Amino acid sequence: MVAGAAREATSGTVAALLEVGWVVDCPTGHHRSPDVGAEVADEVLTRLPVADRRRLGRGDRCTTCSQELTMPVRRTERPVPVADVPGLPVTTVRFDLPSTRCLHCGTDQVPTRSAADVRAAVLALFAPDTGTV
């Protein structure tokens, strides 16, 4: 695996950036993105707090203390390190995403409506592509 050009992707309310876009190359000069998008997305979503959905669609609750989230949503830049994906060097995915803070415990978290966008943006960062170096 070698370091490649930066990659960025946007999905709905979330933008994601890899400053180093890792590529798998072969001796003939072809390269492709590593097939680890789902694993990276899973790790990101375990490291990035996502609010819990309240029953009957009445907003979100804090993932830490279960209190109702009443603060307004704001844009936040957040780096998320990824270290536990086999075959991928330690890397950081940088996000520009919506976030809200719990008034009771202070936890910053992604609203539930944006969790699918986080996953889709990460999958797009590692979408398969082929070409010549």
Side-chain angles (χ1 to χ4, degrees), residues 9-130:
T10 303
S11 178
T13 59
V14 175
L17 167 73
L18 278 176
E19 290 177 351
V20 176
W22 297 104
V23 293
V24 178
D25 67 340
C26 72
T28 60
H30 295 88
H31 69 277
R32 65 177 171 79
S33 295
D35 188 19
V36 294
E39 293 87 349
V40 172
D42 290 344
E43 183 169 343
V44 163
L45 288 170
T46 61
R47 293 177 180 265
L48 191 64
V50 177
D52 292 328
R53 168 78 60 200
R54 287 181 61 194
R55 287 189 275 175
L56 303 175
R58 295 185 180 156
D60 290 342
R61 290 197 174 273
C62 178
T63 190
T64 302
C65 70
S66 298
Q67 295 294 316
E68 183 178 359
L69 295 173
T70 58
M71 293 282 291
V73 174
R74 68 198 185 291
R75 299 297 302 178
T76 303
E77 291 184 14
R78 187 146 187 193
V80 179
V82 177
D84 297 331
V85 175
L88 183 70
V90 175
T91 192
T92 299
V93 181
R94 297 190 178 280
F95 290 98
D96 179 348
L97 46 66
S99 183
T100 188
R101 179 171 287 157
C102 177
L103 281 173
H104 301 279
C105 70
T107 300
D108 280 324
Q109 51 212 293
V110 177
T112 57
R113 66 180 177 267
S114 296
D117 292 342
V118 170
R119 183 171 190 77
V122 171
L123 291 174
L125 285 177
F126 290 93
D129 61 22
T130 58

